[in-house]
């Protein structure tokens, strides 16, 4: 008889920090201790605290162990599982305002407390490779309900009333999208799940696929019923091997149970799903490019209209929804549109998952009600900025988005507020920056990404983004002129208004928004030839403070280019013409006499 | 899957199992399982509780856990029952048979089995 469940994270983060070996060791130790019949090991999806992996949670106590290594397993079995004593040293530690506290259970962490898990409700709770566990948490109830109790139009009306908007970036109302496709004449139609997730730093969709794949399958079948489609495709990036494997298992299990296939629940409704692996080009996440890619053509965007809802996959009416969008569907059906609409702001309902990264104490996945302020995300959930540094800005929307400066930290996060301040929701990357980040450099980083990822089909995007990047490079290497700022703005407007697809249309956003909020930093680079954050290497110079220098000669001996000169026991100096800015001298000086500026 | 009834059957079977992972257990049965507790026979007591809770389909509301040394070795096996809004009840010198009785009268019936509690024996 099972009395305890040991949940071990099998998400990508924890798998790479060694959770598979921990799981195997646990199975072995349980066997040795004779506990195999009492304690069950459950492999789960991501808990959202990947930086602390491998993560292990032991129920019924809910004890939360982090950074669990193979060598720790024996102790956990002997102490916790056999004798019921917590292994204190492995309990998760949480740092808050410099005070480190030991946390006993996951739900006690500040990281979890303000979160509201809807799309991620099963991630880290059920075994994603077990359809029974999904059913045990009310899985496939919603599909049963729509097939037996609701007309397709009622399904669409429910989704409309819930206020759900697409989580893939643009925030288009999901119910409206379904309505368009449903209104097309009956015949072949398709449901496509966009699981291409190409934003650098984003992994919310991956976590849903890995942690709760059946939620996506169930939602696709519901969508199929609503619009009159009997076939679905999931377009998932090949770089997500664990997600691909779990989806494959899930599809097979659903077919075995007759939850996909013909005559589902004996209602005569047919629906099946095929997986398509994407090669990972960012532009393939754009819906028209994605459809072309499924059709086996080059993944290039096409002009809209016609919209996919009218003429999509293989020329047939098609709806395309993002993974996280779909992860909300079954719960809206089960709990009602009102329940969903009760969360969030007036025009943005429900929750949003963010991948929190950058200069923040708790990196990881967080799901919050729409309307939560950036301050709550950063200070409460994220645990603040490490090393006592100051918050400078947050970047949302990845290469299509923009920065939110510290002065706007109390902005409630929703689609419309983000647009109004020049950023966007995007798919949910949230990168936190502190005073050590140079905003011009950040703009350059995203531009480098878009230049690489532009498919080259249209000129403004292909050539325009390259020109933007050149100007940014000129500025960060100290050769910028004030006219460059006007040129940047002009070029941004031109690219925005003339590019064919969303990639080009949004590519200038990182430049526009940093120019808007951090113009003084651009000016410092151009006029003073200085990088205030000390990032842009070409604008940095190493100096020796004559007051502090003891003339020990240590630095001069380290310098690879003999740029440092000076007699013993007299202050040394650096020749900027010879210095290659390797930093070796600064690391060597025991007296802190060398600084860069 | 040809009917909703089939789905409901799987759900009911699994719900209980997954419910073990919820922390909301309104009732907690804590069994002392340090060295002396195990020596004194705490293990069969623990198993009895786990089995009975499962049999009664109470996994969602009753959590059976162990704890280390309670500090009362001579009274082992010790079982504490904590129910939301009620005072903690400590049972001592437990056996599987007594566990069955506690299960019926206290966990299901809501009335502590006073004769096995520590207060009663210390008197
Ligand atoms: C360059 C580019 C990349 C995109 N990448 C993704 C992506 O990775 N995942 C995604 O769901 N949507 C992506 N989109 C948005 C899709 O085109 C589409 O709007 C979305 O999948 C619709 O689903 P939703 O309404 O559920 O959000 C991208 C758009 C552009 C322009
Ligand atoms: S805007 Fe860029 S990515 Fe989009 S079609 Fe044009 S060149 Fe390709
Ligand atoms: S290592 Fe520091 S103290 Fe020594 S010579 Fe160099 S700068 Fe001066
Ligand atoms: S930064 Fe490197 S090259 Fe420049 S002075 Fe120091 S050691 Fe020499
Ligand atoms: S992968 Fe384990 S917590 Fe994210
Ligand atoms: S070891 Fe059992 S009460 Fe102390």
């Amino acid at each position: 008889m099972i009395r305890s469940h040991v949940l071990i994270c099998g998400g990508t983060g924890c798998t790479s920090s060694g959770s598979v070996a921990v799981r195997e060791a646990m199975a072995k130790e349980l066997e040795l201790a004779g506990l195999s019949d009492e304690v069950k090991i459950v492999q789960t999806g991501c808990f959202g605290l990947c930086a602390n992996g491998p993560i292990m949670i032991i129920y019924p106590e809910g004890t939360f162990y982090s950074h669990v290594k193979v060598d720790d397993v024996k102790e956990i079995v002997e102490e916790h599982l056999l004798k019921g004593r917590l292994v204190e040293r492995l309990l998760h530690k949480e740092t808050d305002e410099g005070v480190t506290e030991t946390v006993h259970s996951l739900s006690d962490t500040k990281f979890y407390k303000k979160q509201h898990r809807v799309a991620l409700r099963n991630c880290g709770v059920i075994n994603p490779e077990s359809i029974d566990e999904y059913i045990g948490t009310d899985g496939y109830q919603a599909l049963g309900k729509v097939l037996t109790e609701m007309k397709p139009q009622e399904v669409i009306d429910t989704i409309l009333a819930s206020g759900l908007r697409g989580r893939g970036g643009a925030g288009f109302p999901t119910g409206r999208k379904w309505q368009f496709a449903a209104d097309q004449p009956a015949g072949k139609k398709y449901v496509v799940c966009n699981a291409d997730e190409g934003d650098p730093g984003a992994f919310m969709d991956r976590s849903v696929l890995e942690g709760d794949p059946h939620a996506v399958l169930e939602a696709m079948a519901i969508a199929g019923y609503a619009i009159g489609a009997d076939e679905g495709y999931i377009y998932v990036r090949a770089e997500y091997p664990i997600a691909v494997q779990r989806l494959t298992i899930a599809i097979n299990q659903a077919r075995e149970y007759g939850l996909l296939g013909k005559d589902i629940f004996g209602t005569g409704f047919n629906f099946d799903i095929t997986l398509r692996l994407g090669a990972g080009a960012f532009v393939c996440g754009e819906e028209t490019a994605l459809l072309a890619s499924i059709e086996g053509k080059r993944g290039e965007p096409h002009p809209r209209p016609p919209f996919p809802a009218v003429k999509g996959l293989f020329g047939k009416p098609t709806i395309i929804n993002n993974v996280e969008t779909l992860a909300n569907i079954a719960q809206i059906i089960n709990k009602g549109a009102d329940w969903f609409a009760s969360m969030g702001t007036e025009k943005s309902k429900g929750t949003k998952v963010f991948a929190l990264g950058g200069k923040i104490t708790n990196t990881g996945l967080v799901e919050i009600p729409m309307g939560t302020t950036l301050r709550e995300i950063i200070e409460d959930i994220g645990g603040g900025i490490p090393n006592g540094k100051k918050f400078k800005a947050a970047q949302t929307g990845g290469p299509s988005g923009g920065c939110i400066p510290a002065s706007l930290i109390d902005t409630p996060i929703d689609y419309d507020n983000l647009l109004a301040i020049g950023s966007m929701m995007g798919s949910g990357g949230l990168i936190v920056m502190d005073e050590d980040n140079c905003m011009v450099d950040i703009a350059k980083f995203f531009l480098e990404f878009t230049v690489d990822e532009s498919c080259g089909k249209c000129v403004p995007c292909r050539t325009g983004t390259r020109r933007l990047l050149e100007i940014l490079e000129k500025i960060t290497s100290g050769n910028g002129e004030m006219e460059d700022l006007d040129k940047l703005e002009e070029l941004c407007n031109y690219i925005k208004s003339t590019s064919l697809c969303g990639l080009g249309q949004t590519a200038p956003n990182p430049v526009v928004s940093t120019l808007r909020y951090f113009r003084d930093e651009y000016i410092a680079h151009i006029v003073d030839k200085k990088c205030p954050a000390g990032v842009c290497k070409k604008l940095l110079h190493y100096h020796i403070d004559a007051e502090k220098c003891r003339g020990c000669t240590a630095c001069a001996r380290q310098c690879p280019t003999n740029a440092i000169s000076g007699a013993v026991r007299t202050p040394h100096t650096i020749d900027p013409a010879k210095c290659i800015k390797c930093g070796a001298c600064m690391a060597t000086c025991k007296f802190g006499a060398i600084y860069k500026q | 899957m040809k009917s909703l009834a089939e789905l409901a059957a799987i759900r009911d079977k699994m719900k209980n199992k997954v419910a073990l992972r919820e922390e909301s257990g309104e009732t907690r049965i804590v069994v002392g399982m340090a060295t002396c507790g195990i020596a004194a026979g705490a293990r069969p007591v623990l198993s009895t509780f786990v089995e009975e809770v499962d049999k009664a389909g109470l996994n969602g509301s009753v959590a059976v856990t162990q704890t280390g040394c309670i500090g009362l070795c001579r009274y082992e096996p010790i079982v504490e029952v904590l129910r939301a809004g009620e005072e903690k009840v400590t049972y001592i010198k437990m056996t599987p048979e007594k566990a069955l009785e506690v299960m019926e009268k206290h966990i299901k019936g809501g009335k502590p089995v006073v004769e096995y509690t520590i207060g009663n024996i210390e008197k």
Side-chain angles (χ1 to χ4, degrees):
Chain A
M1 192 54 50
I2 302 294
R3 63 174 168 87
S4 177
H5 287 183
V6 175
L7 275 59
I8 302 175
C9 180
T12 293
C14 291
T15 301
S16 63
S17 55
S19 69
V20 176
V22 170
R23 204 165 68 224
E24 283 161 3
M26 180 56 84
K28 213 173 81 203
E29 291 297 336
L30 287 179
E31 188 75 53
L32 284 175
L35 290 176
S36 299
D37 298 334
E38 294 176 31
V39 179
K40 179 178 171 188
I41 302 175
V42 184
Q43 163 183 240
T44 71
C46 176
F47 289 94
L49 276 160
C50 321
N52 298 288
I55 305 266
M56 182 186 289
I57 314 261
I58 301 186
Y59 286 102
E61 301 90 333
T63 310
F64 176 18
Y65 293 126
S66 58
H67 297 293
V68 177
K69 287 180 292 299
V70 170
D71 293 346
D72 300 328
V73 172
K74 197 174 159 73
E75 188 176 346
I76 294 175
V77 171
E78 288 179 353
E79 285 297 301
H80 187 137
L81 293 168
L82 215 50
K83 298 182 185 157
R85 284 197 289 239
L86 300 187
V87 184
E88 286 284 337
R89 65 178 182 90
L90 296 172
L91 286 172
H92 182 62
K93 312 283 185 301
E94 198 170 52
T95 307
D96 186 27
E97 283 160 9
V99 186
T100 303
E101 275 177 50
T102 305
V103 189
H104 287 238
S105 88
L106 189 61
S107 50
D108 283 346
T109 57
K110 279 191 117 188
F111 180 76
Y112 256 62
K113 263 189 201 147
K114 279 214 172 175
Q115 293 198 45
H116 197 90
R117 301 206 143 204
V118 177
L120 298 178
R121 72 172 182 125
N122 279 333
C123 290
V125 177
I126 64 166
N127 177 352
E129 296 182 6
S130 159
I131 189 172
D132 284 353
E133 291 206 354
Y134 180 65
I135 294 173
T137 55
D138 292 331
Y140 290 107
Q141 290 293 318
L143 180 61
K145 181 169 168 187
V146 302
L147 293 185
T148 56
E149 295 171 24
M150 293 169 86
K151 295 201 180 63
Q153 187 59 44
E154 288 171 337
V155 177
I156 295 176
D157 290 341
T158 305
I159 302 300
L160 256 180
S162 75
L164 174 65
R165 294 169 66 173
R167 303 294 193 240
F172 192 81
T174 306
R176 287 239 306 277
K177 188 182 275 190
W178 291 16
Q179 186 75 62
F180 284 137
D183 289 345
Q184 301 305 309
K188 190 77 193 172
K189 294 180 187 176
Y190 294 98
V191 175
V192 173
C193 169
N194 188 343
D196 196 48
E197 195 165 56
D199 278 17
F203 59 97
M204 28 290 146
D205 293 349
R206 186 188 74 200
S207 296
V208 172
L209 296 173
E210 288 176 358
D212 199 12
H214 285 286
V216 174
L217 306 187
E218 183 180 7
M220 288 177 73
I222 292 171
Y225 176 71
I227 69 161
D230 65 354
E231 228 186 311
Y233 283 89
I234 301 177
Y235 188 86
V236 55
R237 35 183 52 221
E239 291 104 318
Y240 283 180
I242 299 179
V244 171
Q245 181 203 354
R246 303 248 164 96
L247 277 171
T248 310
I249 293 173
I251 292 174
N252 288 334
Q253 289 176 338
R255 283 187 188 142
E256 239 166 70
Y257 272 24
L259 293 165
L260 285 177
K262 296 233 178 300
D263 195 23
I264 299 171
F265 289 122
T267 59
F269 173 68
N270 308 328
F271 194 79
D272 210 348
I273 296 175
T274 310
L275 273 190
R276 274 298 154 87
L277 303 195
F282 180 56
V283 76
C284 284
E286 194 281 333
E287 53 188 30
T288 59
L290 182 146
L291 295 180
S293 177
I294 294 181
E295 290 170 359
K297 301 185 195 136
R298 238 183 104 117
E300 267 182 8
H302 295 279
R304 297 175 305 181
F307 284 93
V310 178
K311 199 162 174 282
L313 192 60
F314 304 112
K316 303 296 178 198
T318 301
I319 52 173
I320 300 167
N321 277 123
N322 163 264
V323 171
E324 189 188 332
T325 313
L326 292 170
N328 287 296
I329 298 290
Q331 294 178 76
I332 294 174
I333 299 290
N334 281 335
K335 299 186 187 167
D338 291 343
W339 162 79
F340 191 79
S342 72
M343 296 176 286
T345 61
E346 195 195 335
K347 288 191 180 146
S348 305
K349 301 300 187 188
T351 60
K352 178 76 192 89
V353 183
F354 286 98
L356 198 53
K359 307 282 180 57
I360 183 98
T361 307
N362 300 325
T363 55
L365 265 202
V366 305
E367 180 169 357
I368 45 142
M370 296 272 189
T372 304
T373 65
L374 189 56
R375 186 190 295 281
E376 290 172 277
I377 301 178
I378 292 175
E379 293 179 359
D380 298 343
I381 300 174
I385 319 287
N387 308 322
K389 299 274 181 177
K390 251 176 59 196
F391 170 70
K392 180 169 183 180
Q395 213 278 350
T396 63
S400 317
C403 292
I404 307 169
S407 60
L408 295 175
I409 192 172
D410 289 309
T411 310
I413 304 287
D414 71 7
Y415 288 101
D416 308 280
N417 284 341
L418 285 181
L419 275 183
I421 59 177
S423 184
M424 63 182 261
M425 187 75 81
S427 51
L430 188 87
I431 301 166
V432 179
M433 290 171 281
D434 68 7
E435 45 199 316
D436 292 340
N437 287 101
C438 164
M439 301 315 280
V440 186
D441 184 64
I442 295 286
K444 200 175 87 185
F445 167 79
F446 284 112
L447 250 295
E448 279 165 4
F449 179 82
T450 30
V451 166
D452 274 351
E453 294 292 337
S454 165
C455 79
K457 185 168 175 167
C458 60
V459 180
C461 170
R462 183 184 64 221
T463 322
T465 54
R466 193 167 291 276
R467 286 281 297 126
L468 272 185
L469 180 59
E470 282 164 15
I471 299 175
L472 292 177
E473 278 166 352
K474 187 175 158 199
I475 294 174
T476 54
S477 42
N479 303 317
E481 300 156 71
M482 282 306 278
E483 296 91 79
D484 287 333
L485 296 184
D486 299 331
K487 272 195 219 155
L488 277 178
E489 272 167 352
E490 202 180 307
L491 199 52
C492 285
N493 284 333
Y494 168 69
I495 299 172
K496 271 186 165 195
S497 54
T498 53
S499 289
L500 171 63
C501 85
L503 192 152
Q505 287 157 10
T506 58
N509 285 351
V511 181
V512 175
S513 94
T514 47
L515 261 177
R516 175 165 163 193
Y517 296 115
F518 299 97
R519 203 180 183 86
D520 52 337
E521 274 191 44
Y522 279 84
I523 295 175
H525 284 75
I526 295 171
V527 178
D528 312 333
K529 308 287 175 211
K530 275 196 179 134
C531 174
V535 173
C536 300
K537 250 191 159 182
K538 291 202 173 135
L539 292 176
L540 281 183
H541 299 285
Y542 284 80
H543 306 275
I544 293 175
D545 183 341
E547 305 258 298
K548 288 190 187 159
C549 175
R550 305 275 184 87
C552 74
T553 77
C555 59
R557 276 178 275 132
Q558 280 298 318
C559 179
T561 59
N562 293 323
I564 305 179
S565 54
V568 188
R569 260 174 263 127
T570 55
H572 283 43
T573 51
I574 296 175
D575 178 357
K578 282 193 194 158
C579 171
I580 55 163
K581 300 169 189 170
C582 70
C585 54
M586 196 160 136
T588 307
C589 181
K590 285 197 198 75
F591 307 99
I594 303 184
Y595 61 98
K596 58 181 179 177
Q597 200 175 51
Chain B
M1 188 92 36
K2 285 292 164 242
S3 71
L4 286 179
E6 278 177 65
L7 185 70
I10 301 178
R11 180 185 58 174
D12 294 344
K13 187 185 89 197
M14 291 306 295
K15 200 158 212 142
N16 221 348
K17 304 227 157 78
V18 181
L20 183 62
R21 287 167 222 165
E22 283 160 15
E23 277 170 58
S24 63
E26 298 125 49
T27 303
R28 297 178 88 78
I29 304 175
V30 183
V31 183
M33 291 277 280
T35 316
C36 78
I38 295 174
R43 182 154 288 286
V45 173
L46 177 80
S47 315
T48 307
F49 277 117
V50 171
E51 272 167 45
E52 291 302 313
V53 165
D54 198 74
K55 244 192 250 164
L58 289 172
N59 272 332
S61 54
V62 180
V64 184
T65 69
Q66 328 106 283
T67 184
C69 175
I70 301 176
L72 294 162
C73 304
R74 67 198 169 96
Y75 293 135
E76 291 278 8
I78 296 179
V79 173
E80 294 176 329
V81 175
L82 300 103
R83 288 161 77 93
E86 286 173 29
E87 226 171 287
K88 177 172 85 181
V89 177
T90 306
Y91 293 107
I92 57 173
K93 300 201 186 241
M94 288 295 281
T95 61
E97 293 71 37
K98 289 180 180 172
L100 280 177
E101 209 177 323
V102 167
M103 201 51 217
E104 282 308 314
K105 295 193 175 145
H106 189 178
I107 307 299
K108 293 187 200 160
K111 285 215 180 59
V113 190
V114 180
E115 52 190 299
Y116 304 149
T117 60
I118 185 160
N120 196 49
I121 295 184
E122 281 201 328
K123 256 186 262 164

